[in-house]
């Protein structure tokens, strides 16, 4: 299964559209790592952000700590 990552910017005065990272990821842990790295990059610029991992159907995937670290 492939996964994509959507970035949400949280502290904007006017909410910007969510940004989807280029490409797809083969595993949940790869997608999680990519999302976490992107959020950290935003935070270094004082932009609050969060991310969602989506499955091939575009549905949000619930990720446990165990899955993210595997």
């Amino acid at each position: 299964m492939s996964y994509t990552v959507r970035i949400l910017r949280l502290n904007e005065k006017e909410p910007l559209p969510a940004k989807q990272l280029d490409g797809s990821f083969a595993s949940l842990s790869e997608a999680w790592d990519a999302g976490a790295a992107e959020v950290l990059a935003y935070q270094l610029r004082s932009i609050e952000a969060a991310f969602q991992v989506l499955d091939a159907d575009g549905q949000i995937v619930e990720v446990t700590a165990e899955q993210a670290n595997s």
Side-chain angles (χ1 to χ4, degrees), residues 4-23:
T4 57
V5 176
R6 180 170 41 202
I7 304 296
L8 307 166
R9 287 162 272 200
L10 304 175
N11 66 342
E12 301 294 319
K13 290 180 181 165
E14 291 184 28
L16 298 171
K19 171 188 173 189
Q20 193 153 317
L21 295 183
D22 292 334

Side-chain angles (χ1 to χ4, degrees), residues 1 5 8 10 12 19 22-23 26 31 33-38 40 43 45-46 49 54 63-64 66 68-70:
M1 179 174 273
V5 176
L8 307 166
L10 304 175
E12 301 294 319
K19 171 188 173 189
D22 292 334
D33 290 345
E38 189 75 11
L40 286 173
Q43 289 176 342
R45 295 180 287 175
S46 298
L54 309 172
V63 181
T64 66
E66 183 177 309
N69 293 325
S70 62

Side-chain angles (χ1 to χ4, degrees), residues 11-70:
N11 66 342
E12 301 294 319
K13 290 180 181 165
E14 291 184 28
L16 298 171
K19 171 188 173 189
Q20 193 153 317
L21 295 183
D22 292 334
S24 62
F25 303 92
S27 71
L28 278 173
S29 61
E30 287 178 13
W32 184 268
D33 290 345
E38 189 75 11
V39 164
L40 286 173
Y42 275 102
Q43 289 176 342
L44 288 172
R45 295 180 287 175
S46 298
I47 299 170
E48 289 298 317
F51 70 95
Q52 298 170 324
V53 176
L54 309 172
D55 64 16
D57 296 325
Q59 300 297 311
I60 297 170
V61 177
E62 295 289 329
V63 181
T64 66
E66 183 177 309
Q67 290 170 316
N69 293 325
S70 62

